[in-house]
Amino acid sequence: MKIKTILVSVLSAAFLLTACGSEPQETETDTPTETEATAETTLSSGDLYASLTESGLFSELTPLDGDYMLNLFGTDISAYTDYAAGEALDVMNADTIVIFNTDSADLAAEAAEKLKTYRQRKIDELTDYNPSQLPKTEAAEVKTKDSFTYLLICDDTDAAEELLEGLIK
């Protein structure tokens, strides 16, 4: 019986000691600095890609990784600030999104040339095996807005470009 009393007393004392403490000290606020806030609101190619794929304007796309981009465009994507790209999962569909985010006019011009070459190669391939996809591929244009150079191929390219440009503002 004495052991229970001692045990209860020790536990009670321990609880009391942990409850007593110093006044809470003020810590730095969780408010981001101006630089951090800007970084958090900076738009990436991935953000644009996600919005475009969620819009319903494109068929189901498969994302293209850096190695595939190197083979497809002959460029190391690490030269760019970031990129996002995807082609239609169904090989009979020409739907495509490719967005390069660049930090210089020279890189933007280089990206535009690579996208024009890619578009023409796609047109040449479609002529042979799926001419029904030619109109939307021929209607697509390589464009640059702010730091983004892009090519969008889908049934309603105008709507896709309008959505993308509205996001970039």
Side-chain angles (χ1 to χ4, degrees):
M1 190 66 143
K2 271 187 158 183
I3 293 177
K4 285 185 181 178
T5 306
I6 293 172
L7 187 58
V8 169
S9 297
V10 169
L11 287 174
S12 297
F15 286 129
L16 286 173
L17 288 174
T18 58
C20 298
S22 61
E23 288 291 316
Q25 295 185 3
E26 287 190 35
T27 59
E28 290 184 36
T29 62
D30 290 337
T31 307
T33 64
E34 186 175 321
T35 305
E36 291 170 336
T38 302
E40 288 175 11
T41 59
T42 300
L43 198 58
S44 74
S45 296
D47 297 330
L48 297 173
Y49 180 87
S51 294
L52 287 166
T53 57
E54 292 168 3
S55 71
L57 294 168
F58 294 84
S59 64
E60 186 176 359
L61 302 177
T62 184
L64 307 180
D65 67 13
D67 290 337
Y68 193 84
M69 294 292 286
L70 179 61
N71 290 333
L72 193 60
F73 294 101
T75 189
D76 182 2
I77 53 92
S78 66
Y80 302 100
T81 304
D82 63 47
Y83 84 97
E87 291 182 319
L89 197 55
D90 175 4
V91 295
M92 297 305 287
N93 191 318
D95 284 12
T96 303
I97 298 173
V98 182
I99 305 168
F100 289 108
N101 187 359
T102 62
D103 59 3
S104 75
D106 289 342
L107 278 175
E110 178 184 307
E113 284 307 310
K114 290 180 184 295
L115 289 173
K116 287 176 185 173
T117 300
Y118 168 80
R119 179 183 162 271
Q120 186 58 53
R121 189 171 52 238
K122 198 165 191 81
I123 288 171
D124 295 342
E125 290 170 359
L126 290 169
T127 300
D128 292 335
Y129 78 87
N130 193 0
S132 68
Q133 295 292 299
L134 275 172
K136 67 180 172 183
T137 307
E138 290 172 335
E141 296 179 28
V142 174
K143 295 190 176 182
T144 299
K145 178 152 173 106
D146 293 341
S147 64
F148 298 98
T149 301
Y150 59 90
L151 174 65
L152 308 176
I153 302 173
C154 64
D155 290 328
D156 193 349
T157 303
D158 290 338
E161 288 176 354
E162 186 176 317
L163 172 63
L164 181 111
E165 291 177 4
L167 293 168
I168 296 172
K169 293 184 186 179

